Amino acid sequence: MRDISLEVPKIPRYLRKIILGHSGQHRLAWWEGGLQLIFASLHPRSFYGSIPKYALLSHTWGEKEVTFQDIQNRDKDKSDRKVSGDVFRDKSGKQVSGDECDREVSGDKADREMSGDKCDREVSGNDSDEEVSGNDSDMAVYGDDSDMEDSDLDDEADGKNLFEAAWKKVEGACAHAWKYGWRWIWIDSCCIDKSSSAELSENINSMYRLYENAGVCYVYLSDASSKEDPRDPRSHFPKSKWFTRGWTLQELIAPSASVVFLDHMWEKIGTRYSLRDIISAITSIPVQLLEDGDLTKYSIAQKMSWAAFRRTTRPEDRAYSLMGLFDICMPPIYGEGAFMRLQQEIIKTSDDRSIFAWVAVCERDKDGKVVEHEPRGLLARSPDEFQGSGRVGISSMAFDGDTSFSFNNNGLRIRLPVVLIINDIAQASLNCQVDEDMCSIYLRRTTDQHYVRYRPDRLVPVRSFETPKYVLH
């Protein structure tokens, strides 16, 4: 775990700490600044120890983000963010001395209420809709408009302004976490040393657990407003970019504590629990999962369907962002078929045949017939092919014999109930329930006992099948 401690001189009650990283190594740095949270210097050092309770920020990345190297090199950056002496400014712009700030903060009832166990009770339990109220008149916070369609930054090519917005997002997250009693916060953009491939791999594989163990997850929506009704189709909430990104799927599902949605001004929109109906409508994630967080009730196909049409900057990250949902660990390798490798890893740990319940978008000729350019195997090419599989349940063990499947040098070896239809075309049941029917797929035999997917553009409902007599490859 990489840590940063943020301390404001002469304002002892405004001790701010940020977790930076998630590894065996801890780094701690001191931050100096005023009430406007202007970063002046960071002095990291490494240490080892247990991980404290922490808040976590979920957000979409802009054109420029504060990196771990930016934190390390903050002393070297001669920016406009230097603090002059011990003079600070309050939210109204009035200059106040450090002593005045200390007296002003010490009288804040909200800070006294958030100390000790009060903070822990705030974010535990059933994803409470209520945060402990605090007086933010002494805390200047910032919104980040880098993702907004109407952002002024779209018209500014100056990288310095983009970097300024990135720092404001970090500052705003620290301010909001501090306001509600959190002394530690983890922010992915500046908490991982991406120059280290080993650290990057470790963080990608442990990301789900990092979100799962957070005391609270703050979701920062730079393109939404708390002044709008999130259930209004005309509001910005359901159209937020955050709901279209690959990594944010696990950031929505994983946290066992409260998930709080904040707008571009860091004002509360609601929580995962209070907004569960509209979030379900946006994401197709069942309301029950947003209530109890129990992933074991859902099939592989259903989980994949939630990721359909979500995007990541690097195509391989579409697979890596799903590892936590399937409790899979594998080294991230860029430039290869990551999603195919993910499915192979899932097969090693699960007998759920819903992983084969996908539908491809196929080219058709002028008569509407499917044109097969190349044979398809039993594995999907992307999560998008599971978009219609949200109602496919976990496969049952309805027939006798070996229900496992595995890979060998000849391909996938699996036992399925099969009915021959015509010539080399067969219909195979996956024994996955879809409403009142069972789900099946078409297969075409290529050689003796070797099959490929036929008509991958459809799943076929079926009532029942006899005990399988074939081993399919």
Side-chain angles (χ1 to χ4, degrees), residues 197-460:
S197 58
E199 181 170 330
L200 180 61
S201 176
E202 180 183 354
N203 275 273
I204 288 177
N205 278 279
S206 62
M207 192 72 69
Y208 191 91
R209 295 289 175 256
L210 183 65
Y211 278 84
E212 184 178 42
N213 296 330
V216 63
C217 177
Y218 291 119
V219 177
Y220 175 64
L221 304 182
S222 61
D223 50 0
S225 172
S226 61
K227 296 180 181 180
E228 299 176 335
D229 180 359
R231 293 174 177 82
D232 187 341
R234 297 169 296 179
S235 72
H236 288 82
F237 182 80
K239 303 180 183 71
S240 175
K241 179 182 176 182
W242 189 86
F243 290 110
T244 69
R245 306 304 296 170
W247 289 103
T248 58
L249 175 60
Q250 68 173 2
E251 294 165 14
L252 172 62
I253 295 174
S256 57
S258 180
V259 178
V260 182
F261 289 86
L262 306 171
D263 72 358
H264 65 106
M265 293 299 292
W266 300 94
E267 296 294 334
K268 181 178 175 181
I269 300 174
T271 68
R272 177 180 58 187
Y273 186 82
S274 68
L275 299 172
R276 61 192 183 280
D277 57 334
I278 182 61
I279 293 174
S280 176
I282 297 169
T283 63
S284 299
I285 298 173
V287 170
Q288 186 176 1
L289 178 60
L290 299 174
E291 293 175 344
D292 60 28
D294 186 0
L295 278 171
T296 62
K297 301 175 183 177
Y298 303 94
S299 69
I300 293 173
Q302 286 174 302
K303 296 174 186 177
M304 290 290 189
S305 73
W306 306 334
F309 299 111
R310 287 177 176 261
R311 292 292 177 259
T312 56
T313 302
R314 305 185 73 167
E316 296 85 355
D317 283 336
R318 294 197 70 189
Y320 301 141
S321 65
L322 295 175
M323 291 193 298
L325 267 66
F326 299 102
D327 199 18
I328 295 298
C329 289
M330 62 183 192
I333 302 174
Y334 292 91
E336 54 88 52
F339 187 67
M340 190 68 66
R341 192 158 57 97
L342 173 68
Q343 293 173 91
Q344 293 173 356
E345 291 296 322
I346 293 173
I347 285 174
K348 293 178 182 179
T349 62
S350 174
D351 290 342
D352 180 12
R353 292 176 295 283
S354 73
I355 193 171
F356 309 121
W358 49 268
V359 173
V361 177
C362 297
E363 181 182 346
R364 297 179 181 272
D365 61 21
K366 61 181 181 180
D367 297 323
K369 296 182 179 180
V370 173
V371 178
E372 292 192 54
H373 293 287
E374 58 180 339
R376 292 290 303 267
L378 286 185
L379 298 182
R381 291 177 177 171
S382 85
D384 295 343
E385 294 187 329
F386 288 92
Q387 62 169 311
S389 303
R391 295 181 292 113
V392 177
I394 300 174
S395 62
S396 63
M397 307 303 175
F399 54 83
D400 299 328
D402 182 14
T403 60
S404 64
F405 39 89
S406 60
F407 281 96
N408 56 34
N409 58 343
N410 289 321
L412 177 67
R413 181 181 180 85
I414 184 174
R415 291 177 62 87
L416 291 174
V418 169
V419 172
L420 293 177
I421 300 176
I422 184 172
N423 297 330
D424 294 329
I425 306 302
Q427 186 175 349
S429 174
L430 300 178
N431 275 16
C432 302
Q433 190 162 348
V434 182
D435 299 329
E436 300 299 323
D437 297 318
M438 304 299 285
C439 179
S440 69
I441 57 177
Y442 288 133
L443 300 173
R444 179 168 58 86
R445 185 166 56 191
T446 57
T447 59
D448 185 29
Q449 299 302 309
H450 286 74
Y451 292 79
V452 294
R453 182 82 180 263
Y454 176 72
R455 291 302 303 269
D457 61 316
R458 63 176 56 187
L459 296 175
V460 186

Side-chain angles (χ1 to χ4, degrees), residues 2-7 9 20 26-33 39-47 68 70-76 78 167:
R2 189 170 285 115
D3 307 327
I4 282 190
S5 173
L6 307 183
E7 181 181 7
L20 293 185
H26 292 211
R27 286 191 178 93
L28 179 129
W30 296 96
W31 172 75
E32 298 176 353
F39 280 56
S41 62
L42 289 167
H43 313 285
R45 66 177 176 86
S46 298
F47 70 100
F68 173 66
D70 294 328
I71 297 290
Q72 282 189 314
N73 299 329
R74 194 57 182 168
D75 283 336
K76 300 177 183 179
K78 304 301 181 181
W167 274 108

Side-chain angles (χ1 to χ4, degrees), residues 47-255:
F47 70 100
Y48 294 86
S50 60
I51 300 174
K53 294 182 178 181
Y54 58 94
L56 189 147
L57 179 69
S58 174
H59 64 114
T60 55
W61 285 34
E63 294 183 48
K64 178 66 179 177
E65 294 291 337
V66 177
T67 66
F68 173 66
Q69 283 68 32
D70 294 328
I71 297 290
Q72 282 189 314
N73 299 329
R74 194 57 182 168
D75 283 336
K76 300 177 183 179
D77 293 339
K78 304 301 181 181
S79 69
D80 298 331
R81 295 178 169 275
K82 289 188 176 181
V83 177
S84 177
D86 292 331
V87 176
F88 309 105
R89 296 181 183 274
D90 62 16
K91 203 169 183 181
S92 66
K94 176 184 176 182
Q95 288 188 355
V96 292
S97 66
D99 292 338
E100 289 174 329
C101 290
D102 198 7
R103 289 194 299 271
E104 196 170 346
V105 172
S106 63
D108 190 344
K109 180 180 178 181
D111 283 354
R112 292 198 299 273
E113 290 181 345
M114 285 305 298
S115 62
D117 294 337
K118 180 67 174 179
C119 177
D120 298 337
R121 292 195 299 270
E122 156 58 22
V123 296
S124 62
N126 62 344
D127 197 17
S128 170
D129 287 350
E130 297 299 328
E131 292 181 284
V132 175
S133 61
N135 181 4
D136 64 354
S137 61
D138 301 324
M139 182 73 71
V141 297
Y142 301 87
D144 172 22
D145 295 331
S146 59
D147 291 328
M148 298 185 69
E149 294 181 0
D150 297 328
S151 172
D152 293 337
L153 296 178
D154 292 341
D155 300 324
E156 298 179 15
D158 190 349
K160 180 179 178 181
N161 290 331
L162 294 174
F163 197 46
E164 181 83 6
W167 274 108
K168 286 182 178 180
K169 178 159 59 176
V170 172
E171 295 169 11
C174 297
H176 191 85
W178 169 260
K179 174 182 173 181
Y180 289 99
W182 293 97
R183 304 301 187 266
W184 303 84
I185 187 170
W186 191 88
I187 306 174
D188 58 355
S189 55
C190 54
C191 296
I192 304 172
D193 183 1
K194 298 178 183 63
S195 66
S196 168
S197 58
E199 181 170 330
L200 180 61
S201 176
E202 180 183 354
N203 275 273
I204 288 177
N205 278 279
S206 62
M207 192 72 69
Y208 191 91
R209 295 289 175 256
L210 183 65
Y211 278 84
E212 184 178 42
N213 296 330
V216 63
C217 177
Y218 291 119
V219 177
Y220 175 64
L221 304 182
S222 61
D223 50 0
S225 172
S226 61
K227 296 180 181 180
E228 299 176 335
D229 180 359
R231 293 174 177 82
D232 187 341
R234 297 169 296 179
S235 72
H236 288 82
F237 182 80
K239 303 180 183 71
S240 175
K241 179 182 176 182
W242 189 86
F243 290 110
T244 69
R245 306 304 296 170
W247 289 103
T248 58
L249 175 60
Q250 68 173 2
E251 294 165 14
L252 172 62
I253 295 174

